[in-house]
């Protein structure tokens, strides 16, 4: 949430930051701004709307050797130019961009107004800019020390809440400062230039060398040098990581939208996630980074999954799969609820977080709470070096490649596949036989090919989307393993098309949502063959009896009476364990094409932002 790019070095600060902001726009797109030190002082440009508006305002190739920039997802204050970042102190010395929420900004503001500082915006960030200016004005000159750095450090001691910040000072045209607590911030180390950003994606065009800042750390950058200090002002020995992303992975290529690109990338994302993770005898999975031995895992009595949004739906699939195949009791909690609930957990509980970004603040906070209570923690996540990945005892990287579309698609199916592989692994060290294991491994290996087959039906799905695109309500219904996919289908549709949609266990429909059924409210049924199929069919009959249109996504071997189905999308027959993945593809495509029909901006849906780093 909110994108930050800061730059120091050659005479190209403006253009590098602009490029970075475009790559970060998925973090927030209410407004954007930039402050550049251009040799004559601070030049600040802010615009509401997309980064394109800022680009227009900046004109041709904005230069400068030092600058900070921001793309905003509003927390405090409306979407106005005054509230857009950077915020400049009233003495015009300090400029700040900020991601996070400063909880005590009102008392800070009161104090600063009493001291004569003035405010132009409703934001919490402007209070921090003025606080730094206040400390800066009082800070004595000490040889060999940066007054600027000292004043930032002092100010941060008074901040309650979360921040990732980049700060510049007009008296220090050769220094850029960044700091984080709760909100992500990384440092890019280049040749004759250094950067700060909220996301690796923003800087890979300049450097692949990255330092992940930890909470409480402050980085002091010059064009050739950097120094990191901890919250207690101790020097930190930084580890420089090499980012293994190819910049083109985060570009659109031949696709119209990132959501479309990422839906079509799923076969590759799945292949990458399973590569090298099956045993030689083809009967189980294994993971390099779990840091827990099979013996440790045999002692686990219960698993608690925590996540938010789409990743929470992946947890629900994990619950079904792990209970079914490994016979370990599983619970799933919204991370934001777990954190504030004093849940009694057994000491042999394993806490498992799922997060694409690895930065979602609710998930991170819940994980920290679990760690504080002494539980072992693992994660599935897609962002190497992210805070969640670093803070867990062990974990599994998704290797799905960068996900830029705000609505998660390939990250979700990759999480579900890894949950299936975890179920297999845990099952094999407990109760699953060799034969059961090999069947599952074979099913997983088939998966990318089957997903490609479903993607081949995109024209058919687009024509169904056209037919229903003007509906204002949708139901998504499925039983057992299909219930989380119904929830995910409804969420996807809501996010990108703004159609009201609800996901339910199909049988629950009779207990209330059936009141919504009408010729104007289509129901998407997710039906798979097997014991439960006749029950799903009965639920479809109930909808049809009330003249509700039915779009059915069904496995090929389901025997469906043609008269009750209005539109059918067939999915290849498969092992139960991979069905949630296969059934997800048509619902993603349906949502995507419906949103296109409605003229929605699928990659930047209103009010949303990728990676929610505020509570
Ligand atoms: C929906 C979506 C969100 C995220 C949620 C968690 O399409 O993307 O619901 O799933 O914000 O994000 P991560 O997985 O990054 O923790």
């Amino acid at each position: 949430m909110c994108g930050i790019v800061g730059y120091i070095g050659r005479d190209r600060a403006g253009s590098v930051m602009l490029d970075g902001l475009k790559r970060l726009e998925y973090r927030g797109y209410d407004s954007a701004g930039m402050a550049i030190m251009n040799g004559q002082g601070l030049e600040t440009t802010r615009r509401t709307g997309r980064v394109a508006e800022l680009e227009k305002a900046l004109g041709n190739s904005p230069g400068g050797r030092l600058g900070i920039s921001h793309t905003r997802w509003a927390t405090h204050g409306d979407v106005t130019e005054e509230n857009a970042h950077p915020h400049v102190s009233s003495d015009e010395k300090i400029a700040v961009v900020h991601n996070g929420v400063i909880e005590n900004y009102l008392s800070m503001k009161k104090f600063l107004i009493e001291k004569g500082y003035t405010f132009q915006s409703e934001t919490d960030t402007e209070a921090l800019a003025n606080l730094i200016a206040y400390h800066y004005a009082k800070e004595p000159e000490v040889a060999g020390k940066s007054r600027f750095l000292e004043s930032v450090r002092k100010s941060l001691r008074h901040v309650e809440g979360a921040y990732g910040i980049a700060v510049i000072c007009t008296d220090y045209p050769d220094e850029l400062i960044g700091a984080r607590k709760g909100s992500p911030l990384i440092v890019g180390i280049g040749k004759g230039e250094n950067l700060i950003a909220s996301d690796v994606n923003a800087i890979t065009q300049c450097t692949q060398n990255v330092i992940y800042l930890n909470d409480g750390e402050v980085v002091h950058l010059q064009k050739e040098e950097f120094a990191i200090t901890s919250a207690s002002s101790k020097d930190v020995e930084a580890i420089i990581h090499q980012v293994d992303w190819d910049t083109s992975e985060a570009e659109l290529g031949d696709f119209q939208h990132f959501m479309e690109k990422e839906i079509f990338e799923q076969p590759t994302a799945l292949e990458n996630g399973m590569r090298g993770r099956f045993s030689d005898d083809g009967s189980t999975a294994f993971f390099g980074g779990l840091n827990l031995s099979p013996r440790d895992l045999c002692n686990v009595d219960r698993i608690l999954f925590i996540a938010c949004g789409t990743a929470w739906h992946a947890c629900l699939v994990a619950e079904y799969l792990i209970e079914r195949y490994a016979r370990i009791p599983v619970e799933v909690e919204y991370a934001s609820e777990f954190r504030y609930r004093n849940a009694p957990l057994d000491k042999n509980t394993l806490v498992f977080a799922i997060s694409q970004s690895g930065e979602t603040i609710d998930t991170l906070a819940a994980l920290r709470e679990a760690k504080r209570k002494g539980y072992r923690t693992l994660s599935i996540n897609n962002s190497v070096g992210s805070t969640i990945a670093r803070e867990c005892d062990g974990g599994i990287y998704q290797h799905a490649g960068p996900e830029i579309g705000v609505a998660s698609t390939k990250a979700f199916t990759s999480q579900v596949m890894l949950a299936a592989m975890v179920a297999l692994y845990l099952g094999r060290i407990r109760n699953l036989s060799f034969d059961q294991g090999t069947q599952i491994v074979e099913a997983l290996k088939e998966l990318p090919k089957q997903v490609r087959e479903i993607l081949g039906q995109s024209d058919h799905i687009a024509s169904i989307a056209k037919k229903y695109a003007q509906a204002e309500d949708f139901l998504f219904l499925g039983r057992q393993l299909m219930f989380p996919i119904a929830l995910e289908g409804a969420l996807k549709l809501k996010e990108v098309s703004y159609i009201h949609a609800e996901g339910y266990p199909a049988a629950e429909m009779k207990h209330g949502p059936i009141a919504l059924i009408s010729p104007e409210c289509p129901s998407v049924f997710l039906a798979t063959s097997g014991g439960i199929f006749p029950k799903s069919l009965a639920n479809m009959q109930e909808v049809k009896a009330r003249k509700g249109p039915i779009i059915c996504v069904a496995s090929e071997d389901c025997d469906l009476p043609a008269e009750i189905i209005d539109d059918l999308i067939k999915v290849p027959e498969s092992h139960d364990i991979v069905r949630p993945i296969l059934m997800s593809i048509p619902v993603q495509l349906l949502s995507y094409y419906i949103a296109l029909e409605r003229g929605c901006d699928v990659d930047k849906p209103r009010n949303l932002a990728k990676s929610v780093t505020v509570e």
Side-chain angles (χ1 to χ4, degrees):
M1 220 153 237
C2 294
I4 290 177
V5 194
Y7 178 93
I8 185 159
R10 301 185 234 153
D11 190 17
R12 57 175 195 150
S15 55
V16 168
M17 290 192 292
L18 199 56
D19 191 36
L21 286 185
K22 286 181 192 164
R23 293 166 189 275
L24 280 192
E25 207 174 4
Y26 59 81
R27 296 188 73 102
Y29 28 86
D30 296 339
S31 45
M34 191 178 284
I36 302 178
M37 293 285 282
N38 62 7
Q40 276 120 46
L42 194 64
E43 188 185 321
T44 305
T45 314
R46 301 182 294 181
R47 287 294 179 273
T48 54
R50 302 287 161 89
V51 173
E53 298 303 317
L54 177 69
E55 185 171 23
K56 255 190 255 160
L58 287 167
N60 288 337
S61 46
R65 294 178 196 282
L66 171 68
I68 54 176
S69 63
H70 190 264
T71 172
R72 179 172 187 242
W73 186 88
T75 56
H76 291 69
D78 293 347
V79 179
T80 60
E81 221 159 274
E82 292 71 35
N83 288 336
H85 298 217
H87 288 285
V88 180
S89 58
S90 58
D91 63 4
E92 297 187 353
K93 286 211 175 288
I94 304 288
V96 179
V97 290
H98 166 223
N99 172 21
V101 174
I102 298 172
E103 287 164 5
N104 59 336
Y105 83 104
L106 284 175
S107 56
M108 221 181 243
K109 197 165 169 175
K110 187 165 169 277
F111 168 81
L112 289 160
I113 289 172
E114 280 163 15
K115 298 287 173 199
Y117 289 85
T118 56
F119 286 79
Q120 315 299 322
S121 79
E122 303 155 276
T123 66
D124 49 346
T125 309
E126 195 181 8
L128 180 59
N130 275 328
L131 188 69
I132 297 172
Y134 166 77
H135 283 291
Y136 179 71
K138 290 201 321 176
E139 190 66 32
E141 286 287 0
V142 177
K145 275 198 168 179
S146 161
R147 257 177 84 201
F148 172 34
L149 177 61
E150 289 311 309
S151 57
V152 172
R153 277 215 198 100
K154 277 196 182 144
S155 305
L156 291 178
R157 277 182 215 135
H158 298 278
V159 172
E160 287 164 24
Y163 56 81
I165 53 166
V167 196
I168 54 177
C169 173
T170 49
D171 294 342
Y172 287 79
D174 301 316
E175 296 182 26
L176 168 65
I177 294 177
R180 76 159 273 180
K181 189 180 142 214
S183 300
L185 204 67
I186 57 122
V187 180
I189 305 298
K191 289 200 176 82
E193 57 185 0
N194 290 317
L195 299 101
I196 292 175
S198 43
D199 199 320
V200 169
N201 206 11
I203 61 153
T204 45
Q205 79 278 26
C206 290
T207 178
Q208 308 285 313
N209 299 326
V210 168
I211 299 166
Y212 299 97
L213 287 189
N214 291 308
D215 269 356
E217 289 179 354
V218 177
V219 62
H220 180 235
L221 291 165
Q222 289 170 301
K223 68 175 182 171
E224 306 273 10
E225 282 165 43
F226 68 90
I228 299 176
T229 42
S230 67
S232 54
S233 300
K234 293 214 171 70
D235 290 342
V236 171
E237 202 173 322
I239 304 169
I240 301 182
H241 298 261
Q242 286 286 315
V243 181
D244 59 357
W245 283 10
D246 174 357
T247 340
S248 66
E249 281 187 75
E251 282 162 9
L252 265 180
D254 293 335
F255 290 92
Q256 229 188 318
H257 297 103
F258 282 107
M259 183 176 179
E260 180 194 22
K261 177 180 182 245
E262 287 155 10
I263 290 175
F264 280 85
E265 277 175 350
Q266 287 177 108
T268 313
L270 295 169
E271 276 158 1
N272 291 343
M274 65 176 91
R275 182 167 301 121
R277 285 176 165 164
F278 293 123
S279 62
D280 288 343
D281 68 0
S283 76
T284 191
F286 64 88
F287 305 97
L290 283 188
N291 298 334
L292 290 177
S293 68
R295 186 180 289 272
D296 294 332
L297 289 166
C298 274
N299 290 331
V300 168
D301 292 336
R302 185 166 164 244
I303 302 179
L304 174 71
F305 275 92
I306 47 172
C308 306
T310 285
W312 185 79
H313 297 153
C315 294
L316 290 181
V317 180
E319 177 182 21
Y320 278 92
L321 295 181
I322 293 174
E323 290 196 341
R324 186 178 296 180
Y325 293 103
R327 311 296 304 148
I328 303 173
V330 174
E331 268 184 73
V332 180
E333 283 242 31
Y334 283 114
S336 52
E337 290 297 312
F338 171 76
R339 185 196 176 182
Y340 292 106
R341 200 165 76 82
N342 192 10
L345 297 181
D346 184 87
K347 70 175 169 25
N348 291 330
T349 300
L350 176 67
V351 176
F352 221 126
I354 300 188
S355 173
Q356 187 284 129
S357 61
E359 300 292 352
T360 300
I361 193 76
D362 287 324
T363 310
L364 179 60
L367 194 75
R368 286 177 175 162
E369 178 66 9
K371 280 187 76 165
R372 204 183 52 75
K373 289 181 169 156
Y375 299 104
R376 302 231 196 186
T377 54
L378 293 178
S379 72
I380 291 178
N381 92 74
N382 194 33
S383 306
V384 175
S386 61
T387 312
I388 289 178
R390 284 180 289 137
E391 294 197 9
C392 275
D393 296 322
I396 303 170
Y397 279 127
Q398 297 180 226
H399 302 305
E403 192 178 65
I404 311 290
V406 167
S408 183
T409 52
K410 66 173 179 175
F412 173 69
T413 48
S414 141
Q415 286 160 355
V416 171
M417 181 190 73
L418 291 167
M421 290 170 69
V422 169
L424 167 66
Y425 175 64
L426 295 176
R428 286 287 286 133
I429 57 179
R430 287 168 175 248
N431 60 303
L432 276 187
S433 70
F434 178 84
D435 281 352
Q436 287 169 310
T438 52
Q439 281 163 21
I440 292 174
V441 170
E442 275 158 29
L444 287 161
K445 286 184 175 166
E446 269 298 281
L447 195 51
K449 185 176 124 254
Q450 292 179 316
V451 171
R452 282 191 185 98
E453 273 172 56
I454 302 171
L455 293 171
Q457 296 184 57
S458 58
D459 287 347
H460 170 55
I461 298 172
S463 68
I464 299 175
K466 206 178 180 92
K467 193 166 152 192
Y468 296 100
Q470 300 319 317
E472 287 307 328
D473 299 283
F474 261 78
L475 286 178
F476 284 75
L477 302 163
R479 284 169 172 262
Q480 299 287 296
L481 271 169
M482 292 305 116
F483 165 51
I485 308 307
L487 291 176
E488 176 58 10
L491 178 66
K492 247 6 24 133
L493 186 67
K494 267 188 276 218
E495 283 183 297
V496 295
S497 71
Y498 318 138
I499 295 176
H500 165 243
E502 295 191 40
Y504 270 96
E508 270 296 304
M509 179 199 51
K510 294 191 293 295
H511 302 281
I514 198 163
L516 294 175
I517 305 288
S518 77
E520 283 73 47
C521 173
S523 295
V524 179
F525 271 90
L526 300 157
T528 51
S529 59
I532 210 82
F533 177 66
K535 307 272 182 209
S536 302
L537 200 54
N539 299 140
M540 288 185 226
Q541 301 277 15
E542 288 150 12
V543 170
K544 201 71 226 165
R546 287 157 185 87
K547 304 204 173 359
I550 294 182
I551 304 163
C552 187
V553 182
S555 55
E556 259 160 8
D557 53 345
C558 286
D559 191 9
L560 288 158
E563 64 280 7
I564 62 164
I565 309 296
D566 294 272
D567 291 280
L568 178 63
I569 305 166
K570 288 212 163 182
V571 164
E573 183 32 25
S574 64
H575 193 290
D576 218 31
I577 203 163
V578 298
R579 281 174 162 174
I581 300 165
L582 296 176
M583 300 292 276
S584 299
I585 315 295
V587 293
Q588 294 170 347
L589 285 169
L590 194 64
S591 304
Y592 173 70
Y593 290 122
I594 288 179
L596 285 196
E597 284 296 325
R598 292 168 73 99
C600 298
D601 186 348
V602 286
D603 281 341
K604 297 185 186 68
R606 72 178 177 214
N607 305 337
L608 298 179
K610 200 146 186 88
S611 188
V612 181
T613 53
V614 292
E615 273 192 67

